[in-house]
Amino acid sequence: MKDKATEQIGIRVTKELKEKMQERADFEGRSLANLVIRACEEYLGKIEEAKQLLNK
């Protein structure tokens, strides 16, 4: 089970980026916040995988 999210961050994005993110979130049936969280988790996971590959 994942930890409950208790922390908040704030970011500024362009209107165009927000619209694109909201369109994608709507398409996937999720909230904009959830889309951002999942995108960050996926990105950080890929970075960690790349680091592990380089250390071998």
Side-chain angles (χ1 to χ4, degrees):
M1 184 163 118
K2 288 193 172 194
D3 293 336
K4 182 175 178 172
T6 60
E7 301 299 311
Q8 288 186 335
I9 61 171
I11 61 170
R12 292 190 185 273
V13 297
T14 63
K15 181 179 179 181
E16 293 80 16
L17 179 57
K18 182 180 178 188
E19 288 172 353
K20 287 179 184 178
M21 293 183 339
Q22 187 63 64
E23 286 175 12
R24 188 65 196 175
D26 292 344
F27 178 80
E28 293 183 12
R30 65 181 75 249
S31 68
L32 179 56
N34 184 263
L35 179 84
V36 172
I37 290 166
R38 291 190 58 151
C40 289
E41 289 174 342
E42 184 176 329
Y43 170 76
L44 293 172
K46 287 181 180 182
I47 294 296
E48 195 58 39
E49 287 176 21
K51 284 171 48 179
Q52 290 176 3
L53 287 173
L54 291 173
N55 287 332
K56 288 187 176 184

